[in-house]
Amino acid sequence: MSHRSATQTDPITTGVIAGELAALDASGNPPAWIKVAPLGRVTTRDGRSYAFDPASLVARFEADGISIPVDLDHSVPRKAMFGEAGTVVGWVPELQARADGLWARVDWLDAGKQTLSARTHRFVSPTFHHDDAGNATWLHSVALVPAPALAMPAVASAGPTTQKDQPMLKKIAAALGLTETADEGSCLSAIASLKTDTVSKAIHEQTLANLAAATTARDAAEAKIAELGAEAHKKAVEELLDSALQKKKITPAQRGEYALLCATASGLEQVRALLEKTPANLQASALDDRETPSGEVTISSATLAAKAVAYQKKMAADGVFLSTADAVMAVKERKQ
């Protein structure tokens, strides 16, 4: 079995005299001193092995110069990994190395007295740092627990991590991207890191709902803008061709051809430019296509525009797309 590194805290449970934490006395007072660790090397019922030197643990405690907490179910070290506060029920301002192990004097809080009175947590469990050989190096905290792990007098149940749990722990470590030898503390730390990058299901679902609503609103706005743009374009084409008809720049028969040329914004602008250069009030006459002395053909503006439209359509059918202006110039040059 691999041991945890000295940088990890490791909770184990040890019983006191008769295997139970003494309850409140007849006057309702909790015990002033409790045994928190045995003397020498011990093996837990789930196979872990640790060694305790009470004198060295007391020396380290006095060198640190701070009281350590008494909590419930090791909540202080475990919840700290998730940025949460544990349940403190007392404080240890003094440790003593005695013949049978390490003892702690406890200043009990009201919550601790109530817990002892309720008898829900009757055993003591130290949380400590240790080296690779399992030698305890310093005491982190002390917990009241309902289920101890050390096979001491009257201790009847195993701790939270048994040999049977090891395959599952290895699978959890692998799923977290850790090595198979990763211990419970390493797994909990990895889970805590993952938790900081996640949000609750409610927030996730609300965010998705907000995004869906925003997308729907955006699509509706874009559709409305497109609709308004199409209406504005249609109105501009009608106004341009109505004006051209009134000014007799085009004939009613040519309106449809010009409307096709105005299908796009660029086509509309090209037709607008062409009509601006087309004289008003021009009528076809018998002399429109007569030959001049030089042999050239004189074409009226209306006829020129119609032929330009026809030429533009013919070229488009062949895969060549001409602007209205280019079509007019081509008709002039070809003298069609």
Side-chain angles (χ1 to χ4, degrees):
M1 177 185 68
S2 61
H3 294 283
R4 304 180 184 183
S5 67
T7 60
Q8 299 294 328
T9 56
D10 190 1
I12 70 166
T13 307
T14 173
V16 293
I17 296 175
E20 294 186 0
L21 179 67
L24 302 180
D25 61 20
S27 301
N29 298 314
W33 288 85
I34 60 174
K35 182 180 178 181
V36 297
L39 171 66
R41 182 163 292 277
V42 293
T43 300
T44 63
R45 298 182 65 241
D46 55 18
R48 291 172 290 168
S49 176
Y50 303 103
F52 297 91
D53 180 358
S56 65
L57 292 173
V58 170
R60 171 61 187 267
F61 173 82
E62 293 177 347
D64 290 340
I66 60 172
S67 297
I68 61 176
V70 178
D71 62 20
L72 297 182
D73 302 310
H74 301 286
S75 59
V76 167
R78 288 178 174 171
K79 288 190 175 183
M81 292 187 294
F82 297 92
E84 301 173 359
T87 302
V88 177
V89 297
W91 292 94
V92 175
E94 182 181 0
L95 291 178
Q96 282 186 2
R98 299 183 183 180
D100 62 342
L102 182 66
W103 286 73
R105 180 168 64 83
V106 182
D107 290 336
W108 296 100
L109 302 177
D110 288 341
K113 296 176 183 178
Q114 293 171 3
T115 301
L116 295 178
S117 177
R119 294 173 61 81
T120 58
H121 292 64
R122 299 184 300 166
F123 300 93
V124 178
S125 174
T127 299
F128 56 92
H129 283 247
H130 63 84
D131 59 22
D132 292 339
N135 299 307
T137 56
W138 60 278
L139 189 65
H140 175 275
S141 56
V142 177
L144 298 183
V145 299
L150 283 178
M152 295 182 68
V155 176
S157 61
T161 304
T162 64
Q163 290 295 334
K164 186 181 296 184
D165 296 328
Q166 291 305 313
M168 179 59 69
L169 184 60
K170 289 182 179 181
K171 292 180 180 179
I172 293 174
L176 292 171
L178 304 176
T179 63
E180 286 190 354
T181 58
D183 55 26
E184 179 184 358
S186 299
C187 291
L188 289 175
S189 296
I191 293 173
S193 298
L194 291 175
K195 186 176 180 181
T196 60
D197 297 328
T198 61
V199 296
S200 68
K201 180 180 179 181
I203 294 177
H204 175 69
E205 291 178 346
Q206 184 60 51
T207 300
L208 291 179
N210 292 342
L211 288 174
T215 300
T216 300
R218 182 201 63 195
D219 292 343
E222 291 178 350
K224 186 62 177 178
I225 291 173
E227 180 183 349
L228 293 175
E231 291 179 356
H233 180 81
K234 180 179 179 181
K235 182 179 179 181
V237 172
E238 291 177 349
E239 290 178 348
L240 176 64
L241 298 184
D242 286 345
S243 175
L245 282 171
Q246 291 174 0
K247 296 177 181 179
K248 298 182 179 180
K249 292 187 175 184
I250 63 174
T251 65
Q254 295 171 330
R255 183 186 179 105
E257 301 292 343
Y258 276 98
L260 290 176
L261 294 175
C262 295
T264 64
S266 61
L268 173 61
E269 293 306 314
Q270 291 173 5
V271 172
R272 191 191 305 278
L274 176 62
L275 293 178
E276 286 178 355
K277 299 175 182 179
T278 301
N281 298 315
L282 292 180
Q283 299 293 328
S285 69
L287 299 178
D288 281 343
D289 297 332
R290 67 178 178 83
E291 289 190 4
T292 61
S294 61
E296 295 182 353
V297 177
T298 301
I299 305 174
S300 68
S301 297
T303 302
L304 178 61
K307 290 189 175 185
V309 169
Y311 182 69
Q312 191 176 36
K313 291 179 64 178
K314 177 179 178 299
M315 295 301 292
D318 294 335
V320 179
F321 299 93
L322 300 176
S323 66
T324 301
D326 289 341
V328 171
M329 293 301 297
V331 169
K332 286 183 176 180
E333 292 176 357
R334 291 163 62 91
K335 296 182 177 60
Q336 296 185 5

